[in-house]
Amino acid sequence: MDSHKKPFRVYLPLEMNQSFGPEVVLGVARYAASAGKKWLLSVSDWGEPMPSPESAGGLGAGWRGVVGRVRTRQQEDAWLASGLPVVNVSGVLRGSRLPRVQTDDRAAGALAAEHLLGRGYRRFAVATIAGQVWRDRAAAFARRVCRQGHRCSRLNLGDVTPAQHERLIPRLADWLARLPEATGVLAVSDLLGRRLSDACRLADLAVPDRVALVGIDNSELMCHLADPPLTSVDVNAEQ
């Protein structure tokens, strides 16, 4: 077969067990269909590990381009060495050498603040974890409410993985219980927002009367696992 007749394979190394990855894949698929591009999209199946950049460098899979989340300098170096065209859809690295399309995390944090301000809340807090994306969301939220003359309490949980979030619930419950009545609280991700919801139930804090929770990412699963369902900022990953 001539090389120009080979299928144009696009590799999407994205986590498919979270809402962001499937939405990005859906956006790429819909773009390809609307633009008449005969792309074959390579996506890791549920539960399967994603191939490394080094395996892409061998071109054994015939990939012609990559759209994925590149979070470390080591990953970036490996993708650059592969010689493949790569678009990074993660905002973790600052000053990335790869072309990038990322969520406007500052706008997301500010939008969460606007929502709570519009609902009449005048006391605010934010729970965050380590990482540039989360810091940007939390800082924008705090700036927006402080600009209106309000204070914003912060809880920095440090460098914790999603697998460690559940064990944080008692700590979150204690923090929430010490906040003033009718406080609007931002969780920098829906996963953390769900744990804050669990913590409210543990501390017997009514949502949204005692504590109003807002997350970011609009993960349908995480939002509906919260009780009541979590309000969240949609980052429009598909677009």
Side-chain angles (χ1 to χ4, degrees), residues 1-219:
M1 178 183 293
D2 294 339
S3 60
H4 70 278
K5 292 183 180 180
K6 291 181 180 178
F8 194 100
R9 301 190 65 184
V10 178
Y11 176 45
L12 297 108
L14 295 157
E15 298 91 340
M16 298 302 288
N17 59 347
Q18 300 178 26
S19 63
F20 184 85
E23 287 183 24
V24 171
V25 172
L26 182 59
V28 173
R30 285 183 171 167
Y31 164 76
S34 66
K37 298 183 180 296
K38 303 298 183 182
W39 290 355
L40 291 180
L41 304 183
S42 298
V43 180
S44 296
D45 293 330
W46 293 97
E48 289 187 3
M50 292 179 294
S52 66
E54 291 81 359
S55 66
L59 300 180
W63 294 321
R64 304 281 296 281
V66 178
V67 178
R69 300 183 85 167
V70 182
R71 295 191 177 94
T72 69
R73 294 298 177 194
Q74 292 77 11
Q75 289 175 341
E76 184 182 57
D77 290 343
W79 282 122
L80 287 167
S82 76
L84 290 169
V86 178
V87 175
N88 186 8
V89 292
S90 171
V92 171
L93 288 178
R94 287 298 184 258
S96 176
R97 293 166 288 167
L98 295 168
R100 179 165 54 190
V101 179
Q102 69 179 85
T103 300
D104 189 336
D105 294 300
R106 294 182 179 91
L111 189 58
E114 292 287 354
H115 171 77
L116 290 169
L117 286 164
R119 292 299 181 97
Y121 290 92
R122 297 297 179 260
R123 301 178 181 88
F124 302 92
V126 56
T128 187
I129 56 180
Q132 188 65 50
V133 168
W134 321 120
R135 285 194 296 269
D136 285 348
R137 294 178 177 185
F141 178 85
R143 279 196 303 270
R144 184 66 188 87
V145 299
C146 290
R147 195 175 298 144
Q148 294 297 310
H150 308 299
R151 294 183 178 180
C152 184
S153 301
R154 298 196 192 199
L155 175 65
N156 192 337
L157 297 166
D159 190 10
V160 296
T161 66
Q164 296 171 322
H165 283 188
E166 187 169 6
R167 71 183 66 172
L168 296 172
I169 292 175
R171 180 181 173 186
L172 292 172
D174 180 67
W175 176 66
L176 290 167
R178 289 185 279 108
L179 294 176
E181 188 83 13
T183 295
V185 179
L186 171 68
V188 294
S189 73
D190 289 342
L191 182 58
L192 184 55
R194 176 201 168 189
R195 296 311 182 190
L196 283 169
S197 173
D198 293 343
C200 285
R201 296 181 68 181
L202 179 64
D204 197 24
L205 302 174
V207 179
D209 298 328
R210 175 66 172 79
V211 177
L213 301 176
V214 176
I216 297 178
D217 290 329
N218 201 32
S219 166

